[in-house]
Amino acid sequence: MGGAVPDGGSLTLDQIAETKTPSFLDRREMGIVNIGGPGRIEAAGEGWDLAEGDVLYLGMGAGPVTFLGQGRFYLTSAPAHRALPHRLITVAEAKHVHMGAVETSNKRTIKQFIHPLVMESCQLVLGYTTLEDGSVWNTIPSHVHDRRMEAYLYHGMAPEARVLHLMGEPQETRHLFVANEQAVLSPSWSIHSGAGIGGYTFIWAMAGDNVDYTDMDFIQPEDLR
């Protein structure tokens, strides 16, 4: 995961030494979320304009990627084994799922973008969850993804606000206090839950053996330690 903030100019992502390939996306796919102002992304001879909240999928072999405008681009990427069509998914085109309840302080809306119900990818799955006013808890009951890892980016938070992010093995949990636009990597054996001060959104991205969003093992609160 990473970020690109062109600040009205342009930034180009091309060769990264760690991938050992001529260009970063030669053997990878990428999901990009714009969490800032209007921005534009150019790759593979095409260009896409992204409003806040829009998501762009770039398939394997897209070549150099240029970021422009006032966007604040959050990047997630994973190895890929085949090239799939590039696609811009707007907020309106995402699948909206409403979950939780006021009584349990976890009423929330999940927006699925790079997801089997919306589009095809190799192994990357991405979307984001926004808590309703008065709700603070996300992803309760906790769960683990035994067959894939997950990354979180928290944003839309006041500067002084924090999210208490729970992770670790179910019988030996740990916690992090996470600020606005900070991210967490969660391995396959770790739970992930959180409670925040004020409103927030978190972007979730997963990569692993499959793209089945429901492939998870729940851990009930009474079983956590």
Side-chain angles (χ1 to χ4, degrees):
M1 59 186 179
V5 184
D7 193 25
S10 67
L11 295 170
T12 298
L13 173 64
D14 190 4
Q15 188 175 35
I16 300 295
E18 288 79 3
T19 64
K20 307 297 183 183
T21 55
S23 190
F24 181 68
L25 290 179
D26 283 352
R27 295 187 59 81
R28 301 181 71 87
E29 59 185 348
M30 178 180 283
I32 305 164
V33 187
N34 182 14
I35 62 172
R40 182 174 174 83
I41 297 175
E42 296 178 352
E46 299 182 63
W48 301 268
D49 295 311
L50 280 73
E52 183 177 0
D54 290 347
V55 173
L56 177 65
Y57 171 82
L58 294 177
M60 185 180 74
V65 184
T66 299
F67 304 89
L68 306 107
Q70 298 298 330
R72 296 178 64 82
F73 300 106
Y74 172 58
L75 320 177
T76 60
S77 180
H81 60 274
R82 61 191 175 117
L84 290 164
H86 317 310
R87 180 174 170 184
L88 172 66
I89 311 105
T90 66
V91 175
E93 293 170 325
K95 180 176 176 57
H96 293 55
V97 180
H98 302 285
M99 296 187 68
V102 172
E103 291 78 9
T104 49
S105 301
N106 69 340
K107 190 175 182 181
R108 61 201 188 274
T109 300
I110 299 171
K111 297 183 178 71
Q112 299 167 338
F113 290 82
I114 304 174
H115 187 282
L117 296 177
V118 180
M119 57 160 290
E120 186 178 10
S121 65
C122 285
Q123 66 162 321
L124 187 63
V125 180
L126 180 146
Y128 52 81
T129 301
T130 302
L131 278 292
E132 301 287 340
D133 289 341
S135 289
V136 297
W137 279 100
N138 68 67
T139 322
I140 287 290
S142 301
H143 59 268
V144 297
H145 296 292
D146 189 47
R147 288 153 293 280
R148 59 178 180 242
M149 60 76 62
E150 190 161 1
Y152 290 85
L153 178 80
Y154 291 94
H155 74 99
M157 299 163 56
E160 68 277 8
R162 295 294 184 271
V163 169
L164 173 65
H165 180 97
L166 302 176
M167 60 185 307
E169 295 180 294
Q171 300 304 311
E172 193 174 352
T173 59
R174 295 292 185 266
H175 65 267
L176 299 171
F177 283 101
V178 184
N180 188 50
E181 296 189 10
Q182 290 187 336
V184 177
L185 286 171
S186 183
S188 60
W189 45 263
S190 177
I191 69 161
H192 29 75
S193 294
I197 302 170
Y200 65 96
T201 294
F202 67 94
I203 301 168
W204 42 265
M206 296 178 279
D209 287 338
N210 62 54
V211 294
D212 180 5
Y213 181 78
T214 63
D215 184 4
M216 61 186 75
D217 301 309
F218 287 101
I219 312 295
Q220 298 301 322
E222 59 265 29
D223 296 323
L224 295 173
R225 299 290 183 270

